[in-house]
Amino acid sequence: APSATTPRPTPAASVQVGACASPGRDGVVGPHPRLDRADRDLNGDGVPEPIVVDRSLCSAEGNCYWNVFVQPQAGSSDCARYVGTFEGGALEPLPTSGDDSMADVRGYWNLHGGRLLLQSYRFLHGGYRIVDALLCKRARDDTLECADSDR
C-alpha cells in the first residue's frame, strides 16, 4: 500500500529571477552544496546554458532543483543571470519554445506508488515559469496515464 508523504516546502532561491548570479553559488542551493552540472543549449545558439544542481537537496526519490542561468553575449560587460529552477528527477526539453527562443522544458517529479507530477516550464519575461502541471501514474504496460487523458 502506498504510504502517505508529507510535502516539503520548495527551498527559496538565493536571488530573484533575472538578477546577476553565479552558477554554483546562486539559485536553490543548500548550506553544504554538492554541485553537479547538466548544461544544455536551450536557445539553439550553440552555447550551452549553465544548469547546476545541488545534490545535497535531492530527495530519496531522486527529485532535485536544477538552477538555470543565461550567460552574457561574448564581449558584453553584462553579468550571468539566474532565470529559474526546474524541479524534477528528470528533465525533458520540448520542441516548443518561449521568449528569446528558449526551449520549453518538462520536469518529472517522482511521487510514490508509480505516480509522477509533470511540470512544463516556459521562458517568459526573462525567466522560466511553470505553465502546465499534470498528475500521472505509470500503467501496467509502462505507459503514463495522466489526469487530462482520455484513459
Side-chain angles (χ1 to χ4, degrees):
S3 62
T5 58
T6 303
R8 296 186 318 180
T10 300
S14 62
V15 295
Q16 292 184 355
V17 170
C20 287
S22 175
R25 188 187 73 209
D26 291 316
V28 176
V29 180
H32 305 288
R34 290 182 328 193
L35 303 175
D36 276 334
R37 300 282 295 249
D39 300 354
R40 299 286 185 276
D41 182 7
L42 296 173
N43 61 5
D45 67 355
V47 178
E49 277 63 51
I51 301 176
V52 182
V53 62
D54 176 1
R55 295 284 182 192
S56 73
L57 296 179
C58 295
S59 71
E61 298 82 16
N63 299 314
C64 300
Y65 302 96
W66 304 86
N67 301 304
V68 185
F69 300 86
V70 174
Q71 297 285 31
Q73 298 283 338
S76 169
S77 62
D78 201 11
C79 60
R81 303 227 175 244
Y82 168 69
V83 295
T85 299
F86 302 137
E87 299 177 11
L91 301 174
E92 174 188 11
L94 300 173
T96 54
S97 61
D99 293 349
D100 300 330
S101 300
M102 296 288 281
D104 293 346
V105 174
R106 180 178 294 140
Y108 292 76
W109 189 266
N110 297 303
L111 300 171
H112 59 83
R115 287 178 164 64
L116 299 166
L117 176 63
L118 306 182
Q119 297 180 119
S120 296
Y121 297 85
R122 174 163 278 186
F123 192 85
L124 297 168
H125 308 293
Y128 273 100
R129 305 166 192 275
I130 295 176
V131 293
D132 194 20
L134 288 172
L135 180 61
C136 301
K137 67 178 181 177
R138 192 157 305 280
R140 290 182 189 204
D141 64 357
D142 209 31
T143 59
L144 284 180
E145 294 177 349
C146 297
D148 74 341
S149 70
D150 294 333
R151 296 173 41 163

